[in-house]
Amino acid sequence: GQNIDQPTEMTATEGAIVQINCTYQTSGFNGLFWYQQHAGEAPTFLSYNVLDGLEEKGRFSSFLSRSKGYSYLLLKELQMKDSASYLCAEMDSNYQLIWGAGTKLIIKP
Amino acid sequence: KAGVTQTPRYLIKTRGQQVTLSCSPISGHRSVSWYQQTPGQGLQFLFEYFSETQRNKGNFPGRFSGRQFSNSRSEMNVSTLELGDSALYLCASSYYEQYFGPGTRLTVT
């Protein structure tokens, strides 16, 4: 089956680091995507991983382990504007994106 | 490059009516996907069109339909509207990662 799991909500402090985990189960895999969605807005693309390892892009990094069906998004030096939902999505063998329900990240001063 | 555009941005309809939403993808993108998002819910996949053909379909009733034109523009139609159809409808175009339009917020009264 196809199932994407990520925590419903997380809270972190401004200036700190937070890691948002995502696990997936699928018979086919063509990559793992992370998106950011601010309240009332459309999702915006953050990162894409298809090979194992860490991809760093400024304050945001994304990690993938295909053997474990596991990914995480790491946000450093948190800012108040990082308060948003973070969506994990796996591209299956049909090149269709299977979406997690999203993790709502709350940043406190 | 212009982004994904969706029209209209806001729409109010009554139960039993039908509605047509439009999406213009990023130039060069041949794939257009449609999603429904309700408060607190993740993205629910409706369907995907590629080169005027429906390539993937989600688990929505037949009241939800779509099409894609030769210029890659896409429309989705919802017939016999129900109160539960009130949602944000998002369109995404892709070459690989998906880029979302601002969405159409549909309210059914």
Side-chain angles (χ1 to χ4, degrees):
Chain A
Q2 296 170 326
N3 191 29
I4 309 290
D5 288 320
Q6 52 181 133
T8 302
E9 186 174 297
M10 299 182 70
T11 302
T13 304
E14 190 177 15
I17 298 173
V18 71
Q19 178 175 312
I20 303 173
N21 297 325
C22 170
T23 59
Y24 61 92
Q25 299 173 327
T26 184
S27 56
F29 177 77
N30 277 302
L32 196 290
F33 295 79
W34 284 96
Y35 283 77
Q36 179 191 59
Q37 186 177 25
H38 285 100
E41 298 181 11
T44 55
F45 170 75
L46 287 177
S47 68
Y48 166 68
N49 295 69
V50 67
L51 299 177
D52 290 350
L54 188 68
E55 295 279 342
E56 296 186 75
K57 195 184 292 185
R59 294 190 298 114
F60 293 7
S61 302
S62 56
F63 172 84
L64 177 69
S65 169
R66 289 173 297 171
S67 63
K68 295 181 180 179
Y70 167 70
S71 173
Y72 67 71
L73 181 69
L74 190 71
L75 291 75
K76 304 176 184 176
E77 302 168 16
L78 285 170
Q79 302 175 9
M80 297 304 292
K81 68 178 181 179
D82 297 330
S83 292
S85 288
Y86 292 85
L87 308 174
C88 167
E90 183 250 338
M91 181 171 278
D92 69 9
S93 56
N94 293 320
Y95 295 95
Q96 179 180 335
L97 283 181
I98 311 300
W99 294 84
T103 297
K104 182 178 180 181
L105 178 63
I106 300 168
I107 310 296
K108 295 186 175 179
Chain B
K1 236 183 204 180
V4 180
T5 59
Q6 289 186 248
T7 56
R9 293 291 311 278
Y10 302 91
L11 203 52
I12 300 175
K13 291 283 189 178
T14 56
R15 277 183 300 174
Q17 287 186 312
Q18 74 159 15
V19 66
T20 298
L21 311 181
S22 180
C23 171
S24 292
I26 292 172
S27 177
H29 288 186
R30 293 161 64 188
S31 171
V32 174
S33 298
W34 287 91
Y35 296 90
Q36 181 195 69
Q37 188 174 41
T38 50
Q41 300 296 312
L43 292 171
Q44 304 297 313
F45 173 72
L46 282 155
F47 27 67
E48 181 212 1
Y49 286 87
F50 182 86
S51 294
E52 302 180 66
T53 301
Q54 189 180 86
R55 185 160 70 173
N56 287 301
K57 188 177 187 305
N59 295 322
F60 276 80
R63 300 185 297 109
F64 292 81
S65 63
R67 59 178 175 169
Q68 186 179 33
F69 302 96
S70 58
N71 62 357
S72 293
R73 190 177 71 84
S74 177
E75 289 181 348
M76 70 162 279
N77 184 278
V78 188
S79 63
T80 320
L81 284 166
E82 301 176 359
L83 294 179
D85 296 334
S86 294
L88 179 67
Y89 289 88
L90 291 161
C91 154
S93 79
S94 63
Y95 185 80
Y96 207 74
E97 67 267 19
Q98 293 190 350
Y99 293 90
F100 286 82
T104 295
R105 188 164 297 282
L106 172 65
T107 302
V108 182
T109 61

